[in-house]
Amino acid sequence: METLIELSDVRFAYGQRRIFDNLNLSVPRGKVGVIVGPSGCGKSTLLNFIGGRIMPDAGKVEVDGIDVTKLNRQQLYKLRKSMGMMFQNSALLTDLNVFDNVAFPVREHTELDERLIRHLVLLKLQMVGLRGARDLRPAELSGGMARRVALARAIALDPMLVMYDEPFTGLDPISKGVIVKLIHEIGDALEMTSLVVTHDVSEGLSIADRVFLLGDGKVIAQGTPQEMQETDVPEVRQFIDGAPDGPVGYHYPAPDYLADLSDQENL
Amino acid sequence: MKRSVIELWVGLFVVAGLVALGVLAFKVGNLSGTDIRDTYAVTAHFDNIGGLSAKAPVTLAGVRIGRVSGIKIDSDNYRAVVELSIDRKYDNLPLDTSASILTQGLLGAQYVGVEPGADEEYLKNGSQIEITQSAIVLEQMLGQFLFGQAQGDK
Amino acid sequence: MNALQSLGGWTLDSVQRWGRAAVFLGQILLNIPSVIVRFRLAVVQVFSVGVLTLIIILVSGLFVGMVLGLQGYNTLVDFGAESSLGLVVALSLTRELGPVLTALLFAGRAGSALTAEIGLMKATEQLAAMEMMAVDPVSRVIAPRFVAGFLSMPLLAALFTAIGIWGGHLVGVGVLGVDSGQYWTAMQNGVDVYDDVLNGVIKSVVFGFVVTWIAVFEGHDATPTSEGVSRATTRTVVNASLAVLGLDFVLTSLMFD
């Protein structure tokens, strides 16, 4: 199967803090890749590597056969036109209404006349079910609606890759369901590759063709959702079952409890 | 707000700002009127210039025709040398024109008044005005007056 | 030892900030041509930076002019020189108060708003989203605001000065009985277009440049949290005001020595 995204031997440290150590990951074209992992493990940083907004300290980040880390600014901007990204807090432009937000990338990058832009924007809005909300301001939208608008904007230029940063966080079950449905449709109908970063395991597994579990700076397990469900690797089990204690400790590293309590010096 | 409304406001703002700049230049700074750029310079020597300062007006029959462009001391005879920049429009001032330092009102700012003579030749760039009358220094006048009074009483 | 360390840390911090601010200014200036091509973007910003600042500028200018008229009259009348009131009011406003007070008000009203707006766009990932859409935020968001601030400031200062002179006239002529003709004549004889008016305009252009630069930089450099944005906004007002006052001293000593 042809690979669209390929990260190999990626290393990255944020100041003193090591985030990734020899991370390897590949997502086939046209499939839905889901990256799960605990909060703060650098999942969003991974999307920023692919978008070229952050450069890793070492390693290759290939998108459609192009190494993102080697691109200059202009080439990078050209590549980004074929990517869409849905941000966690939607990141809609607050001074534009829904219609203009979706039209924004089209107007910035094409010379289409307004009639064509209108068709295109209404098509995308129809797809996410918000054609009727075109005149609303971002402030008037609920969290779920804002994310659907952000999704419509992300696919406005029909990119080959759509990235979702925590698409389910903070949504009610119905809105979550809508997003799940949309990610499916975008993959099936538009044949775009999706890369989803989430810590919502059940939704993540329900949409994935391939799941990557991140931990300790690398991919600790990967496979189809079914393989992940059935695995007995303890790290994976703890994450999938949501167990409070396990390989990832419940306690922040601390000296022995009893010794700490009876420590007279710090009284 | 609609785009056209915004653009209208911006247009009004820019026009108002430019008008304000125009007012400052023409009405406050008097750009069009007596500010003189194309000038020729003549000098005049005075015993005492009183409170005359650079940029003070030079007038002929009360009409402003130039300004004081420089004041220095002639170190040979310790007199004040005042350089007057006069508008080229008034290039027909006779050579024996006289200059005096006058005061606007009793206590106002001092300026140079010129009085045309009758010579056939005209002042030109670098000429010197020979006939001058120094500033009237009020304190000196007052002193003389009181001195005279005291003497008269005797 | 601790004090020394924190001094060192502070110094390093400030040097880095200056470096970032300078690089940022370079990026902005490189993007000015794209603003000229799409001038509509700047026009919208002139509205929020210039037009919305208009009211406070006009009201302040009027009152400053009226106070100058009152104070000037009270001082001048002791010397019998109240006919010079127009000159005093006009010189104070064109040379100093017009540009400086406008710049301070501009920093407080427009500068803080710019910082808050850009900082919030950063905090809500709008700038990141633009980058991901292959739209350069500096060219699309920052540069138009910079141009708008830079263009608005001299116009605002001119309006402040003009209405201030009118305010001085209102009090001096209307209330205190100075002759209207004398008010204008004294002004016109004493105010030089180049030495006073033009220098005042140059000051306002410099202030506009610096205040807007500080405002957009602080917004773009803000920590992307609500606390970070509020601190950046405060920094804009403080730093811009200090910069205006410091630069005013430098410019004044260069212009009117």
Side-chain angles (χ1 to χ4, degrees), chain C residues 200-232:
Chain C
V201 172
I202 291 173
K203 273 188 182 182
S204 64
V205 169
V206 173
F207 295 161
F209 186 91
V210 172
V211 170
T212 321
W213 174 26
I214 291 177
V216 294
F217 170 70
E218 291 292 356
H220 192 260
D221 202 51
T223 314
T225 59
S226 43
E227 196 208 355
V229 174
S230 85
R231 277 170 53 178

Side-chain angles (χ1 to χ4, degrees), chain A residues 51-71:
Chain A
R53 289 190 61 235
I54 301 178
M55 293 296 166
D57 299 333
K60 277 209 288 192
V61 178
E62 283 181 329
V63 178
D64 200 21
I66 305 166
D67 187 355
V68 176
T69 59
K70 299 226 163 37
L71 296 183

Side-chain angles (χ1 to χ4, degrees), chain A residues 47-48 51 53 73 77-78 80-81 83 85 87-89 91-96 104-105 108-109 153 163 165, chain C residues 27 31 38 41 44-45 117 121 123-138 140-141 145:
Chain A
L47 296 186
N48 281 324
R53 289 190 61 235
R73 207 180 128 81
Y77 269 53
K78 187 161 168 277
R80 279 183 193 163
K81 287 181 200 171
M83 297 180 186
M85 178 146 169
F87 283 83
Q88 180 173 355
N89 39 29
L92 296 177
L93 304 178
T94 36
D95 52 344
L96 302 179
F104 181 82
E108 290 290 323
H109 293 308
R153 184 178 67 177
M163 294 185 275
D165 188 5
Chain C
Q27 289 178 338
N31 278 295
R38 298 179 65 184
L41 290 176
V44 176
Q45 294 308 320
E117 192 190 10
M121 289 182 85
T124 54
E125 295 183 302
Q126 291 180 50
L127 298 185
M130 282 192 188
E131 280 182 24
M132 284 306 298
M133 287 187 276
V135 175
D136 183 2
V138 175
R140 184 66 172 66
V141 174
R145 283 167 172 76

Side-chain angles (χ1 to χ4, degrees), chain B residues 7 10 27 29-30 37 55, chain C residues 40 43 188 191 193-195:
Chain B
E7 280 168 1
V10 170
K27 182 117 172 122
N30 213 355
R37 287 285 131 183
K55 282 202 266 178
Chain C
R40 206 167 259 271
V43 169
Q188 285 163 2
V191 177
V193 177
Y194 296 88
D195 285 352

